[in-house]
Amino acid sequence: MIWKPERLAGWGNHPSQLCRVARPERLRELRELSVAPGGTLAWRGLGRSYGDASLNAGDGVVLLGRLNRFREFDPSTGLLECEAGASLADIIACFLPRGFFPPVTPGTRAVTVGGAVACDVHGKNHHRDGAFSAHVSELTLLTVGGQLLRCSRREHPDVFWATVGGMGLTGCIVTVRLALQRVSSAFLTVVQRRTADLQQTMQQLATLDAEHRYTVAWVDGMAGGRSLGRAVVSGADHASGAPAGRGPLSPPAHRRGTVPFPAPNWFLSPTMVRGFGALRYHRSADGARYLADFDAFFYPLDSLAHWNRLYGRRGFLQYQFVLPEATALEGMTRVLETLHRAGHPPFLAVLKRLGAAGEGLLSFPRAGYTLALDLPVGPPELFALLRRLDEEVAFRGGRVYLAKDARLAPDLFRAMYPQLPAFLALKERLDPDGRLATSLSRRLGITA
Amino acid sequence: MSRGTFLVVGATSTIGRCVARRLAAEGCGLCLTGRDPEELAAVAADIAVRCGRPPLAVPLEARDFGSYPALMDACGAIPGGLAGAVITWGMPEDPLARTDPAATAQVVEVNLTAPALLLEWLADRLGPGSCLAVLSSVAGDRGRADTRLYGAAKAGLNVFLAGLRAHCDRRGIRVLTVKLGRVDTRLSFGLAGAFLAISPESAAKAVVRSLRRGRGTVYIPGWWRWIMLALRSLPEGLFRRLPR
Ligand SMILES: Cc1cc2nc3c(=O)[nH]c(=O)nc-3n(C[C@H](O)[C@H](O)[C@H](O)COP(=O)(O)OP(=O)(O)OC[C@H]3O[C@@H](n4cnc5c(N)ncnc54)[C@H](O)[C@@H]3O)c2cc1C
Ligand SMILES: NC(=O)c1ccc[n+]([C@@H]2O[C@H](COP(=O)([O-])OP(=O)(O)OC[C@H]3O[C@@H](n4cnc5c(N)ncnc54)[C@H](OP(=O)(O)O)[C@@H]3O)[C@@H](O)[C@H]2O)c1
């Protein structure tokens, strides 16, 4: 296997670390590499986690995107077996024309199935359909000993529940059996509500949750004071038809732009950001109903390739946390107020309501509200500020999402993830020598 | 493109499987060969899911020349015959085995002898309107220290293909020399100049496009034609001193 030195970063471009990178092109190469002696190994799909989850500073990172074959598909059930390097983009391109769609999707389709399982990602339908793992019936895990373990709710259930949401630390997910959902159209019917403050936003999400499969609130991160948390909330469902003149399963092709190089660091300054946020809020009519194609609804950000470069070379953090229903309003108000007062209002702020937690030991989703905020790296006090917010979140019974994290401290991580001891016990059993590690796992004290 | 059935020889190569996927997406039937049985099965299953019908998958070791007739028989049984073939076989030299006769013979066999032999078999069997596309390399255009053997074999392949083209022209079979620049596969992983590399998907897209309407020698990406024209016209002493 060829290893080459390469600087890698997550989607937030912070941190960026020098790693040794290998890219198996076939299963045999992956197996050989997993048993070869050497340093520690981290797995990487499409690198869409924001922080250091797919990095391994100074050590091995294995790129899995080439192991991306479909293995089997049953059109009568929608059950797809594929290699873990297959992307949701590829699945959609191949199966949407046949009337199938991923059961759960994050806000970008440029993720691998393995990454989606390892982070147990959630979508705008978590309140109805749960996290990604809820639709995974089986996976095969390549352990550091070179053993291929078939895991499901019945076979090695302990390994299964440690692996979903397990951030790649139990082994390499090689294949996944995923239940695709049947859709009769590539379009969604969307309703939109504009709200005046955070309380209304949360209420509106709860109301729309009862009626719609997908809900999400785009919060105007710049609005403060009495308008703090005002948002455009949408509810959506798969449509059954299409706009006149289109086949239901053939959505329009969108033109995609790209950001060719990192913008100067001042580019997304608070003034610029205030403009964007307000624009989005005021452009959206209250009570609007419309038909959106899946691309525009699920993946608005995918239309601009490398949009993360807008944040400049220093990169940005996404701060995403969940709070239980009971403490969410108070806690999120605190968080937003604190950021406003410190002069770091977020550019992008997305609020969702989550349904009941799954069984993944380190899975992020739990019942309550989750808020995701994009914050440019740069201000020296930002990290201390976020540490204070972590404390607020932990104190109120919430947690920070590891797929987005680049800076959480081990003590607060332990407080946020009560099932960590069970995970560590299993990790010790599967990987006694600690071969599998990431920069994230070392920072959080999961590995040495 | 006439939908038809295409043979992809070395469908387990990174570029080969992308070519197979593209052809499958366009609705073509496929016959695939590969030497690694596990990989061949994986690629065949992928194609079967993508186009809803399983391809023919034939294990084939390039240097096992005696096994070609069996492949020809399998292809002969395809209803409607073959609309074309893409040959992806290729193997770089091991710089640590330069004086090893077996290693040297193997590089020449995989890059030149085997494709030449198989193409003779195929040229005899394909009909008018069909196309034979063979993956070669810009490395065959000019001798370089680090790829001297590989480059020599590919250069030999290029001359062979020009001759075969002349032979097949009258019979309405197009023979394509596909000279690839750098493609982001294991052959180029970790080498300097990675920024020049194109993805195997875009290489495959271009290969399939030329399968449809290419003629003679095709460079992928196209600008390599002009780079190589310039490099070929440099005196050797000057060429040698270029940064790598
Ligand atoms: C624009 C955008 C929007 C997003 N929206 C959402 C959202 O709505 N909801 C949500 O939950 N997430 C969201 N995310 C986060 C993203 O879905 C996850 O980080 C996802 O895991 C990324 O997949 P990847 O293939 O890029 O994984 P990577 O970032 O490459 O890796 C993520 C983790 O998975 C591990 N891993 C990857 N592949 C394997 C494997 N085969 N075996 C074992 N471990 C593996 C890695 O080691 C790492 O720990 C978003 C990200 C972006 C950029
Ligand atoms: N990547 C580049 O930058 C680049 C540049 C110029 C030209 N090319 C050419 O493009 C073609 C495809 O290369 P690639 O980049 O896709 O690399 P690759 O994946 O390594 O492909 C090489 C192919 O050759 C096959 N092969 C080698 N020895 C063989 C043997 N003895 N018997 C049977 N098959 C054998 C391999 O079979 P297995 O799969 O069974 O191992 C594989 O299918 C090659 O001809 C290469 O010379 C590539």
Side-chain angles (χ1 to χ4, degrees):
Chain A
M1 196 76 243
I2 302 166
W3 292 89
K4 68 168 178 187
E6 190 176 339
R7 268 202 108 66
L8 291 179
W11 186 247
N13 282 324
H14 175 90
S16 121
Q17 299 173 338
L18 190 64
C19 309
R20 285 185 309 121
V21 181
R23 185 181 61 196
E25 301 270 354
R26 49 190 70 195
L27 290 165
R28 176 165 38 82
E29 291 173 0
L30 177 67
R31 277 197 306 271
E32 284 167 5
L33 157 167
S34 76
V35 293
T40 61
L41 294 178
W43 316 113
R44 179 167 161 116
L46 283 164
R48 256 37 176 214
S49 48
Y50 279 70
D52 51 5
S54 68
L55 308 183
N56 195 2
D59 228 330
V61 175
V62 182
L63 308 182
L64 295 168
R66 288 285 159 91
L67 301 176
N68 62 359
R69 275 76 55 96
F70 299 147
R71 292 163 67 96
E72 207 181 324
F73 180 66
D74 181 350
S76 68
T77 57
L79 212 58
L80 170 70
E81 189 184 4
C82 63
E83 291 176 352
S87 70
L88 292 193
D90 197 15
I91 291 179
I92 292 169
C94 184
F95 292 101
L96 182 56
R98 300 189 214 174
F100 293 93
F101 199 74
V104 164
T105 173
T108 172
R109 69 189 121 179
V111 300
T112 62
V113 170
V117 173
C119 294
D120 201 6
V121 301
H122 57 275
K124 298 176 171 69
N125 54 342
H126 190 271
H127 59 284
R128 287 262 171 111
D129 302 315
F132 201 79
S133 59
H135 309 273
V136 172
S137 56
E138 187 180 294
L139 55 86
T140 53
L141 186 74
L142 181 66
T143 63
V144 280
Q147 200 193 354
L148 211 51
L149 270 189
R150 205 163 63 179
C151 318
S152 66
R153 285 164 183 75
R154 280 174 306 280
E155 251 179 303
H156 303 294
D158 49 348
V159 181
F160 183 82
W161 294 118
T163 298
V164 306
M167 306 305 288
L169 297 168
T170 57
C172 183
I173 302 162
V174 180
T175 66
V176 175
R177 259 181 192 279
L178 176 69
L180 302 183
Q181 61 167 320
R182 202 180 281 281
V183 296
S184 43
S185 163
F187 294 82
L188 294 109
T189 52
V190 186
V191 297
Q192 220 168 46
R193 299 276 151 71
R194 228 162 58 167
T195 61
D197 60 23
L198 188 59
Q199 185 168 14
Q200 268 191 23
T201 303
M202 289 182 167
Q203 270 166 4
Q204 197 54 253
L205 273 173
T207 312
L208 291 179
D209 268 8
E211 299 160 20
H212 301 283
R213 180 98 183 239
Y214 301 99
T215 60
V216 63
W218 294 85
V219 176
D220 178 357
M222 297 304 296
R226 290 223 314 272
S227 309
L228 187 85
R230 72 177 183 185
V232 178
V233 187
S234 15
D237 296 279
H238 290 285
S240 47
R246 283 209 167 271
L249 292 172
S250 44
H254 288 265
R255 271 220 293 177
R256 288 180 212 287
T258 183
V259 182
F261 49 83
N265 287 322
W266 51 261
F267 186 71
L268 288 181
S269 63
T271 341
M272 294 284 286
V273 167
R274 181 160 295 140
F276 284 126
L279 196 70
R280 177 153 198 138
Y281 181 77
H282 289 294
R283 230 181 32 189
S284 312
D286 186 39
R289 271 172 190 282
Y290 58 95
L291 212 54
D293 65 82
F294 77 99
D295 215 344
F297 180 74
F298 288 113
Y299 312 115
L301 296 171
D302 282 359
S303 61
L304 190 61
H306 304 295
W307 62 262
N308 52 346
R309 291 179 180 160
L310 291 173
Y311 284 92
R313 282 188 200 288
R314 284 189 297 213
F316 66 110
L317 303 173
Q318 182 164 97
Y319 189 61
Q320 180 171 3
F321 60 95
V322 58
L323 287 174
E325 302 254 354
T327 61
L329 178 58
E330 195 194 326
M332 287 180 181
T333 307
R334 280 292 285 263
V335 166
L336 286 171
E337 276 176 357
T338 309
L339 288 169
H340 272 268
R341 229 175 297 121
H344 304 306
F347 172 33
L348 252 185
V350 178
L351 183 67
K352 290 183 227 184
R353 193 162 161 274
L354 298 181
E359 291 177 59
L361 295 179
L362 294 187
S363 286
F364 166 73
R366 50 152 301 157
Y369 287 87
T370 175
L371 183 63
L373 311 164
D374 282 7
L375 301 163
V377 173
E381 72 287 2
L382 183 65
F383 286 74
L385 187 71
L386 290 175
R387 157 97 204 177
R388 287 219 308 282
L389 300 186
D390 293 339
E391 285 163 3
E392 294 276 354
V393 168
F395 171 71
R396 289 186 165 78
R399 56 171 69 132
V400 162
Y401 190 7
L402 299 184
K404 310 286 178 80
D405 179 51
R407 29 132 308 271
L408 184 64
D411 54 332
L412 287 167
F413 165 63
R414 280 194 298 274
M416 292 173 177
Y417 287 85
Q419 306 205 68
L420 178 64
F423 180 83
L424 290 178
L426 207 111
K427 165 100 175 137
E428 174 66 27
R429 207 182 87 208
L430 286 172
D431 180 19
D433 302 330
R435 279 289 316 276
L436 301 182
T438 59
S439 293
L440 176 136
S441 75
R442 276 191 294 271
R443 175 168 56 75
L444 296 178
I446 303 175
T447 61
Chain B
M1 159 156 31
S2 64
R3 292 263 161 105
T5 300
F6 285 82
L7 170 67
V8 181
V9 177
T12 47
S13 68
T14 304
I15 300 174
R17 60 173 105 129
C18 293
V19 167
R21 275 183 180 178
R22 233 186 136 95
L23 288 169
E26 294 188 355
C28 306
L30 284 163
C31 174
L32 311 174
T33 85
R35 113 189 108 150
D36 175 341
E38 180 189 41
E39 268 315 289
L40 182 61
V43 173
D46 181 60
I47 296 297
V49 170
R50 280 167 197 274
C51 65
R53 62 188 150 137
L56 199 61
V58 183
L60 186 69
E61 155 66 54
R63 297 188 304 143
D64 181 4
F65 307 123
S67 64
Y68 294 5
L71 174 67
M72 292 303 112
D73 290 347
C75 291
I78 293 170
L82 284 179
V86 180
I87 297 185
T88 79
W89 283 337
M91 180 185 178
E93 70 220 66
D94 177 359
L96 300 179
R98 293 218 191 271
T99 53
D100 176 350
T104 301
Q106 184 166 352
V107 172
V108 176
E109 281 181 1
V110 172
N111 290 304
L112 174 58
T113 318
L117 197 56
L118 185 63
L119 283 161
E120 294 292 356
W121 282 96
L122 283 167
D124 275 350
R125 278 162 184 74
L126 290 190
S130 59
C131 178
L132 291 168
V134 185
L135 302 194
S136 185
S137 168
V138 294
D141 280 11
R142 196 81 214 243
R144 275 183 25 166
D146 48 352
T147 55
R148 50 192 184 254
L149 182 58
Y150 171 77
K154 289 289 193 190
L157 177 66
N158 295 345
V159 173
F160 173 82
L161 289 171
L164 186 69
R165 191 153 39 241
H167 171 70
C168 289
D169 205 32
R170 276 169 289 127
R171 301 182 24 228
I173 304 175
R174 275 179 305 132
V175 176
L176 294 178
T177 311
V178 180
K179 293 187 180 169
L180 293 168
R182 187 156 293 178
V183 186
D184 187 15
T185 71
R186 65 175 159 183
L187 290 187
S188 59
F189 190 78
L191 297 185
F195 64 94
L196 288 176
I198 59 171
S199 71
E201 288 83 9
S202 40
K205 188 174 166 189
V207 169
V208 171
R209 202 185 320 119
S210 19
L211 208 50
R212 200 182 284 145
R213 49 167 191 264
R215 297 217 150 261
T217 297
V218 180
Y219 283 83
I220 295 176
W223 45 262
W224 276 100
R225 181 182 294 276
W226 312 114
I227 306 256
M228 292 323 293
L229 185 70
L231 288 182
R232 271 199 315 266
S233 58
L234 279 185
E236 194 168 309
L238 212 60
F239 175 72
R240 252 196 321 228
R241 266 180 276 143
L242 288 184
R244 293 210 288 133

